[in-house]
Amino acid sequence: MRTLVIGGVAAGTKAAAKLKREDRSAEVILITKSSDISYAGCGLPYYVGGLIETEEELIVNTPKKFEGLTGVRVLTGREAFHLDAEAKYVQARNLANGEEEVYSYDNLILAVGASPIVPDVPGMRLPGVFQMRTPQDAYAMRAYVEEHRVKRAVVVGGGFIGLEIAENLQVRGVSVTVIDMMPQIMPNVLDPEMAAYVKKHLQKSGIRIQTGTALKAVLGENEATGIQTDQGTIQSDLIVVSIGIRPNTAFLKDTGIKMDRGTIVVDEQMRTSLPDVYAAGDCVVVKNRITGMSQWSAMGSSANYEGRTLAQVLTGKDKTYPGVLGTGVVKLPGMNVGRTGLTEAQAREAGYDVETVLAVTDDKAHYYPDSDSFATKMIADRGTHKLLGIQVVGAGAVDKMTDIAATSIAMDARLEDLENLDLAYAPPFSTAIHPIVQAAYILQNKISGEMVSMTPAEYARGKAKGYKVVDVCPNPQIAGAVYVDLSTVNGAIEGLAKDEKILLVCLKGKRSYFLQNRLKAYGYTNTVVLEGAQYFNDVKVEGVKFQVSPEEITRVKALGFLQDKRTSNCFNGRVITRNGKITAEESRVIAEAAEKFGSGEITMTSRLTIEIQKVPYENIEPLREFLANAGLETGGTGSKVRPVVSCKGTTCQYGLIDTFHLSEMIHERFYHGYGQVKLPHKFKIAVGGCPNNCVKPDLNDLGIIGQRVPSVDLEKCRGCKICQVENNCPIGVAKMEDGKLHLDSGQCNHCGRCDGKCPFGAVATEMEGYKVYIGGRWGKKVAHGHALDKIFTSEEEVLDIVEKAILLFREQGITGERFADTIDRIGFENVKKQLLSDELLRRKQENLAAQKHLKGGATC
């Protein structure tokens, strides 16, 4: 019995390997278009981000290794182009030599997978445009990011893969914008309010999200420089297109095989409509395990299950594949997202009488060090209490919540079946009553009427209009709300009528439910609990000016927005100018942004950033999106490398070096390249073109000053009565002594003013370069930097010194102290020795990976 398998990633290799294990006598041949088989497709984004370090780690099995382990014959570089189901053979092209080959079979397994959808827009073939499907895609993207020092990227597509790529590019210090033509990210995966919550979190994490935005073109001539959308242009060095995939089934269109929108239709035993032809993986449509309706679920997990089931069927076992639940999980910056089963919209469409709840619970014992919260949306049928779906977001193990729900749905569980589920408990792992059980309790209370509530979706649609908001937090939190101390309520509450519409809001929802329960006993008939409370919702009281919380003030400060203390909700937004130099077009954009989102006023900071004045809190994200479309960003605060300050360099009459060029290199390599690196405190860099020190380099954590070191040729010195060199020395270091010119090298500041002043050529420049000062600062405690002895003669030398200084500060600084304090504590000679060696660079990756200085010391 010969079985031919077409496709060598998940479903194909799983089916082939299992088939050989079930029947060692079976002849199994696997052909695949790729040169790789069995690669970790879901791990590709993490290779781009560097979490997976080597290419080899992505390859689960090589063809040779797979043949040795399984006994399957593997032929790579073969592209199938014709199937004759009646004669039972497949024609394939050998991509190495172009020859056509014929493979006969007794049973055929189609596991041809799917390929990325490439939109038909101009510029898609430009260098710098990538998809993410194969190891070669990941290798090429990572190499491009490193070689081109990519600092801005656009990801087209807000699904799981697109968001994983966005996270991993951000890890590499790339500024990322995600666009999606749908009105939400993760469409058909999350309900709109859950997607909106994730979007808000991503934006807070520094990833810009633009939904309802369609790609129209990729911009650039020799390489990609940005995109054109139906909302405007976005500048970018890298474009990743992740808008979906389509099955690789075009070669089957004349075979008569039954298909549904390009996917192969199979039964529960993975049989197609053609005799002895089976299919599995991303190229097939199966059924939804709850509704029984067709569903395409292109997941590595389901592909493996399908392949295994298929192999057992081929060896005579009575096995069936029951279908999918659409289970998935994704890791995002500071947040994980999991889901299984039906969304609320899908459940309603399927005809269920739907009830939902949004429950915010602790993800483990609240006193355990890394405890956080889950926001869980649970979906059930109101009449039968059958669990239909779950969506979970949080910093912790959302996969565990999702998997428990998937198991329960597969077992046709009702909410009551979750009530006393004996799940694992210990403080590092869970709460005594498991979070998923708590969510089931809350949904049961809602269905029974014990809790009357309003969902976040209803609140967002304005259902709370006309309600009096009651703040049930431990301490007053909501501006303009009626505050009620839960612990003191023993009867009717003064000022609250028993029949008026009351919305109860606390931090997570529990205290509101407790108060509702108590108020019912005292005759209140119209109280409603806001599900998700303040944790999930932006709660505002009608007619009351919104008050920004201290936590939000701190968060937006990290984005470059400092509160204008004359107001309650306005901020001054710092626009990064790289080194004080911007284009005329950028200047126009900033001016327009100031008028559109702020007061119309602009100021300059001492660090050469531009501040847009009085930006209302609600305008912060729209402003950042507006600026991002022009390639501009906000920031410049926190315990990080700060934007570099530069003088005008060679445009000044005394300038010795091209400060704009050097400072822009520093900006890209360290402000951007180290953008996610937490330091003990802020780290300021200044570049001066000459010893005039206009930008005070020696009062920065690290200062660079242009140098022109002179030399004196005494044989050419004529001992002139009036020495032109002496007359032109601005600091009086050059002097005539005993009839000859003397220049004190210890006092000379290498300003270069003496070069060429001697008519006989006695003084000339011996060396041009850079002096580096470390450990300066101004402010409450002024310190002048220490100069390193060496004059550095190339920009690369200077960049290395800057990097080593940052690495030393991160490694050996104590959280909260400035670089000057670190140098004083461990000694200048010690620091100098380390900076002039390469040991710090050799420890770079270990240093940057360490979880240090997570709470820095910078206050502005």
Side-chain angles (χ1 to χ4, degrees):
M1 184 74 69
R2 171 183 288 181
T3 298
L4 176 65
V5 181
I6 306 177
V9 186
T13 53
K14 173 57 72 175
K18 180 63 176 173
L19 184 55
K20 285 295 287 185
R21 287 197 298 273
E22 293 283 322
D23 181 3
R24 293 304 302 171
S25 67
E27 181 186 2
V28 183
I29 301 171
L30 186 151
I31 66 173
T32 180
K33 180 180 177 181
S34 173
S35 59
D36 297 311
I37 69 163
S38 195
Y39 55 79
C42 298
L44 302 181
Y46 302 98
Y47 175 80
V48 173
L51 189 64
I52 297 172
E53 295 182 359
T54 65
E55 298 177 5
E56 291 75 21
E57 291 175 87
L58 291 173
I59 306 302
V60 179
N61 275 312
T62 64
K64 184 176 180 180
K65 182 180 176 183
F66 186 76
E67 285 187 342
L69 286 171
T70 65
V72 174
R73 185 183 173 202
V74 179
L75 299 171
T76 60
R78 267 73 172 183
E79 182 178 12
F81 65 87
H82 177 69
L83 163 64
D84 189 325
E86 187 175 339
K88 301 183 80 168
Y89 70 83
V90 169
Q91 286 179 280
R93 185 171 291 104
N94 187 323
L95 300 179
N97 54 30
E99 294 180 1
E100 294 182 3
E101 299 171 347
V102 176
Y103 299 92
S104 62
Y105 64 83
D106 297 306
N107 293 308
L108 173 64
I109 297 175
L110 298 170
V112 292
S115 296
I117 295 172
V118 180
D120 184 19
V121 300
M124 281 300 298
R125 296 190 179 277
L126 282 170
V129 181
F130 294 89
Q131 287 83 44
M132 183 52 59
R133 187 68 179 173
T134 69
Q136 286 70 32
D137 294 331
Y139 305 157
M141 189 187 301
R142 178 160 140 181
Y144 193 89
V145 170
E146 292 170 353
E147 292 167 9
H148 289 73
R149 295 190 175 179
V150 168
K151 296 305 173 191
R152 296 171 298 183
V154 171
V155 177
V156 183
F160 277 7
I161 298 297
L163 296 179
E164 286 174 343
I165 284 292
E167 183 206 16
N168 280 279
L169 287 171
Q170 188 189 51
V171 166
R172 299 192 72 93
V174 178
S175 177
V176 185
T177 299
V178 177
I179 71 165
D180 199 296
M181 67 183 298
M182 300 296 286
Q184 68 169 77
I185 56 173
M186 292 188 274
N188 301 317
V189 173
L190 297 180
D191 282 312
E193 74 276 22
M194 297 296 284
Y197 182 81
V198 175
K199 175 182 175 180
K200 183 170 68 174
H201 172 83
L202 289 171
Q203 289 177 322
K204 287 181 178 180
S205 301
I207 294 176
R208 289 178 290 276
I209 308 288
Q210 292 182 218
T211 49
T213 302
L215 176 68
K216 294 299 182 183
V218 176
L219 306 176
E221 295 183 3
N222 299 318
E223 60 185 26
T225 59
I227 63 169
Q228 178 71 46
T229 76
D230 57 355
Q231 305 296 316
T233 61
I234 303 175
Q235 295 183 358
S236 178
D237 312 314
L238 177 83
I239 290 92
V240 185
V241 179
S242 181
I243 60 174
I245 56 176
R246 59 167 56 98
N248 297 321
T249 55
F251 77 102
L252 299 171
K253 67 177 181 178
D254 296 325
T255 63
I257 194 169
K258 186 177 179 182
M259 290 198 282
D260 178 7
R261 289 171 292 181
T263 58
I264 303 168
V265 176
V266 295
D267 65 12
E268 289 186 342
Q269 292 192 314
M270 312 311 294
R271 290 187 177 91
T272 74
S273 61
L274 298 178
D276 300 316
V277 178
Y278 301 78
D282 291 356
C283 61
V284 308
V285 61
V286 288
K287 69 177 183 179
N288 182 281
R289 194 160 178 161
I290 303 173
T291 66
M293 303 295 289
S294 294
Q295 181 166 328
W296 186 31
S297 181
M299 299 287 286
S301 52
S302 51
N304 274 279
Y305 297 144
E306 292 161 14
R308 187 178 190 276
T309 301
L310 170 51
Q312 292 174 304
V313 168
L314 287 175
T315 54
K317 291 188 175 179
D318 186 20
K319 293 286 184 177
T320 58
Y321 183 70
V324 296
L325 292 172
T327 307
V329 66
V330 63
K331 176 182 177 295
L332 301 174
M335 172 184 280
N336 304 313
V337 181
R339 60 91 62 212
T340 192
L342 303 177
T343 65
E344 180 180 353
Q346 291 164 349
R348 293 189 189 284
E349 188 178 340
Y352 288 100
D353 183 13
V354 176
E355 190 61 88
T356 74
V357 79
L358 193 289
V360 179
T361 57
D362 294 334
D363 63 357
K364 55 178 69 68
H366 68 275
Y367 52 80
Y368 195 76
D370 66 342
S371 65
D372 206 274
S373 298
F374 288 137
T376 303
K377 181 172 183 178
M378 185 172 278
I379 303 155
D381 180 72
R382 185 182 286 109
T384 65
H385 298 189
K386 175 181 170 66
L387 181 62
L388 299 175
I390 196 172
Q391 299 162 40
V392 192
V393 297
V398 303
D399 59 318
K400 183 164 68 172
M401 295 281 285
T402 305
D403 289 343
I404 295 170
T407 304
S408 300
I409 294 171
M411 302 300 178
D412 204 30
R414 300 181 309 135
L415 296 177
E416 287 76 9
D417 296 319
L418 297 177
E419 267 191 65
N420 297 301
L421 206 58
D422 191 10
L423 298 172
Y425 163 64
F429 301 101
S430 181
T431 50
I433 300 176
H434 195 279
I436 199 167
V437 177
Q438 291 185 53
Y441 287 169
I442 298 169
L443 185 48
Q444 284 179 288
N445 287 342
K446 184 175 180 180
I447 291 173
S448 69
E450 289 183 37
M451 181 185 80
V452 180
S453 63
M454 184 183 298
T455 68
E458 291 171 332
Y459 182 76
R461 289 195 295 267
K463 189 176 180 181
K465 188 173 180 62
Y467 278 77
K468 179 177 285 186
V469 179
V470 171
D471 182 348
V472 200
C473 297
N475 298 297
Q477 293 276 332
I478 305 169
V482 176
Y483 177 70
V484 173
D485 183 351
L486 175 64
S487 65
T488 65
V489 176
N490 295 303
I493 300 172
E494 187 178 347
L496 292 182
K498 291 187 176 181
D499 60 348
E500 72 178 314
K501 296 162 73 173
I502 298 170
L503 183 67
L504 305 173
V505 185
C506 58
L507 295 176
K508 294 185 177 181
K510 183 186 290 187
R511 293 172 65 88
S512 297
Y513 168 63
F514 289 168
L515 180 58
Q516 183 182 66
N517 179 269
R518 199 172 295 186
L519 291 178
K520 281 182 179 179
Y522 299 136
Y524 286 83
T525 60
N526 209 354
T527 62
V528 174
V529 171
L530 179 59
E531 296 174 19
Q534 288 196 90
Y535 184 91
F536 197 87
N537 304 279
D538 293 324
V539 181
K540 298 178 183 178
V541 176
E542 291 179 60
V544 176
K545 201 168 187 178
F546 177 64
Q547 297 289 318
V548 185
S549 69
E551 293 77 16
E552 272 299 284
I553 291 172
T554 299
R555 183 189 70 81
V556 299
K557 181 185 285 187
L559 300 177
F561 290 84
L562 281 70
Q563 187 181 27
D564 185 327
K565 293 181 173 59
R566 296 167 296 177
T567 71
S568 61
N569 70 333
C570 285
F571 297 78
N572 298 333
R574 292 184 174 179
V575 185
I576 303 304
T577 64
R578 296 178 290 277
N579 52 7
K581 182 171 70 172
I582 58 174
T583 66
E585 178 58 30
E586 288 170 335
S587 181
R588 280 190 286 270
V589 169
I590 294 169
E592 185 179 349
E595 290 182 338
K596 191 171 183 178
F597 301 102
S599 66
E601 298 171 310
I602 292 172
T603 64
M604 290 293 297
T605 73
S606 61
R607 300 299 298 177
L608 302 185
T609 59
I610 293 176
E611 275 193 357
I612 296 176
Q613 301 293 291
K614 290 190 178 177
V615 178
Y617 171 80
E618 59 270 21
N619 284 354
I620 288 177
E621 286 305 329
L623 169 61
R624 294 181 74 234
E625 281 194 19
F626 183 82
L627 293 172
N629 288 339
L632 292 163
E633 61 188 319
T634 63
T637 60
S639 296
K640 300 177 182 179
V641 177
R642 294 294 183 84
V644 63
V645 172
S646 171
C647 74
K648 304 299 186 293
T650 51
T651 62
C652 165
Q653 62 174 315
Y654 304 119
L656 305 177
I657 62 171
D658 186 350
T659 51
F660 276 147
H661 181 256
L662 178 59
S663 58
E664 193 146 1
M665 290 175 69
I666 292 171
H667 175 82
E668 289 300 325
R669 187 157 160 182
F670 302 113
Y671 178 72
H672 276 146
Y674 277 66
Q676 303 303 314
V677 177
K678 295 286 189 180
L679 299 176
H681 212 291
K682 54 195 169 190
F683 191 90
K684 296 181 175 181
I685 304 170
V687 182
C690 72
N692 279 348
N693 293 350
C694 296
V695 290
K696 307 177 182 65
D698 66 331
L699 291 176
N700 281 259
D701 296 281
L702 189 143
I704 302 160
I705 300 175
Q707 304 284 288
R708 191 170 290 165
V709 182
S711 65
V712 178
D713 186 346
L714 293 178
E715 291 186 3
K716 293 181 179 179
C717 177
R718 303 289 182 88
C720 299
K721 187 174 181 180
I722 299 175
C723 176
Q724 297 301 318
V725 174
E726 183 179 26
N727 280 354
N728 280 278
C729 180
I731 60 173
V733 169
K735 295 180 180 178
M736 291 297 295
E737 295 180 358
D738 300 325
K740 289 291 184 180
L741 178 64
H742 176 73
L743 202 157
D744 187 340
S745 59
Q747 297 296 316
C748 178
N749 66 4
H750 306 156
C751 71
R753 295 288 299 280
C754 59
D755 187 15
K757 292 299 186 292
C758 176
F760 306 106
V763 179
T765 296
E766 179 180 290
M767 178 194 308
E768 292 191 22
Y770 313 85
K771 180 174 281 191
V772 175
Y773 288 82
I774 59 171
R777 67 176 172 205
W778 70 74
K780 294 186 290 287
K781 189 178 177 183
V782 175
H784 285 271
H786 304 269
L788 300 179
D789 299 335
K790 182 178 177 181
I791 301 296
F792 300 93
T793 57
S794 72
E795 290 180 337
E796 278 305 317
E797 276 189 300
V798 174
L799 293 171
D800 280 348
I801 286 292
V802 175
E803 184 159 31
K804 285 186 277 189
I806 296 167
L807 291 170
L808 185 147
F809 187 34
R810 173 174 167 79
E811 181 182 82
Q812 298 165 41
I814 297 172
T815 300
E817 72 178 6
R818 290 294 297 272
F819 192 35
D821 302 320
T822 305
I823 294 170
D824 288 345
R825 179 169 50 79
I826 66 177
F828 174 69
E829 291 300 321
N830 179 355
V831 172
K832 181 171 69 172
K833 182 179 178 181
Q834 293 188 66
L835 295 183
L836 296 178
S837 77
D838 289 329
E839 282 301 312
L840 286 159
L841 295 177
R842 280 192 274 271
R843 298 195 300 273
K844 175 180 174 179
Q845 295 307 320
E846 177 187 350
N847 185 347
L848 297 183
Q851 294 292 298
K852 299 181 68 173
H853 313 301
L854 299 182
K855 183 172 177 59
T859 56
C860 66

